[in-house]
Amino acid sequence: MAAIRAGQGLLVGILRCGHCGRKLHVRYWGGRGTHARYLCKGDYDDGGAYCLGFGGASVDRRLGQELLKVISPLGLQASLRALEELSAGDTAQRIALSSKLEQLEYEASKAFEQYDAVDARNRLAAGELERRWNEKLEEIAKTKQRLASLNGRCYSLAADEEARILAMGENFTEVWQNEHCPPELKKMIFRTVVEEIVVRSDPEKKALQFTIHWKGGTHTQLTMERPRSATENSTPIEALEIIRRMAVRHGDDQIASVLNRLRYSTGKGKRWNQTRVATARRNHSINGQKRALPDPERVSLNEAARICGVSHRTIERLVEAGLLKREQVTPRAPWEILRADLNDEPVRSVIERLLRTGKLVLQGGSAENQSTLFTENEGDDNARHHE
């Protein structure tokens, strides 16, 4: 079972797309970042589209009602079990990590003794023993960090909260709806009694169809009108995701160009422009800017060519040969190159040789004796670039 995380979305981790089989994830929107929206990314990362997305508030309420209908007669037991699992899970992890830490400290002590006893003149043996000792020290540091992190997210109810929940156990609906019942507890209760929830959209995309797989093998099916989150308008969720990704450093004008190339329209069916992107950002509390921000770490392909004093085609050749990596925040967005990569080997040597001899010699790596993939005289191309 995955760790219970903070956030208002109660069905995180147990929703599965009935169209493609992927798990849904949650994204939080709104000025305070509290409006949950469940999404199935489909093949979006490969240039495709989302399978489905819908606001979480009304879905959580509807599925919560179904949960209450099933387990209210056993409310006290469900409350106790959830509370026990919240504390027992963390306790078991702490015990396991503490035991591991003791063993690692013992092994580190032994490794140091071996390293300290070896003849320093035997460099190979001393180096290997020192490496083993350092590995143990690194493992100790990581284990301590995990323990600290576990202690940091330790969840426990205050005495008055626990007493209130236990006292109200006979009336589980009241417990569930009480403002003192935190989202983490509700999520644990869902995971305690629900194996998985499969969700599909009807062909007209006006309704959502849920199949709840309860622990123990029984199933419940229900259909509800497709909801809209508190901040949702008719802007496609794919378009909003592109805006969110690009707005970190790209300008509204660049974002509009990418959205139009991908054939996304606004909620009113219009082409995107700088003003409409800015409006969408404001409506969905996405920070951004009119024009792209200068990035000291990344440059465009044209800018990389200018910095190196070569042609745009030369930069493309370096990319095609696998010597230079290019990145793209979303399909159809501008390609970018890390500025630091332009000074790394073998890129620097290839460019220096090109500028010196007029010949572009691309190799498959930085090793001196690797075979040349192809050699091309780019003297004319480079000369044209400098004209």
Side-chain angles (χ1 to χ4, degrees), residues 317-328:
R317 292 282 191 180
L318 290 167
V319 171
E320 292 168 358
L323 301 182
L324 195 57
K325 183 180 178 181
R326 64 179 181 178
E327 300 174 340
Q328 195 178 39

Side-chain angles (χ1 to χ4, degrees), residues 63 99 121 125 132 137 155 178 189 309 312 343 349 351 358 381:
L63 272 295
S99 299
R121 291 172 295 181
R132 295 178 184 178
L137 294 178
Y155 176 81
N178 191 280
I189 294 172
H312 182 279
N343 295 319
S349 296
I351 292 177
D381 181 41

Side-chain angles (χ1 to χ4, degrees), residues 14-16 62-71 190 193-200 208-224:
I14 58 175
L15 283 174
R16 185 176 296 279
R62 180 65 183 86
L63 272 295
Q65 292 170 1
E66 198 66 25
L67 177 84
L68 293 173
K69 186 169 66 175
V70 171
I71 69 173
F190 258 114
V193 297
V194 175
E195 187 71 40
E196 187 173 69
I197 302 174
V198 178
V199 55
R200 298 178 60 90
L208 294 174
Q209 302 163 345
F210 295 91
T211 302
I212 306 172
H213 296 268
W214 303 94
K215 294 287 180 68
T218 60
H219 313 293
T220 301
Q221 292 186 334
L222 62 91
T223 300
M224 63 177 288

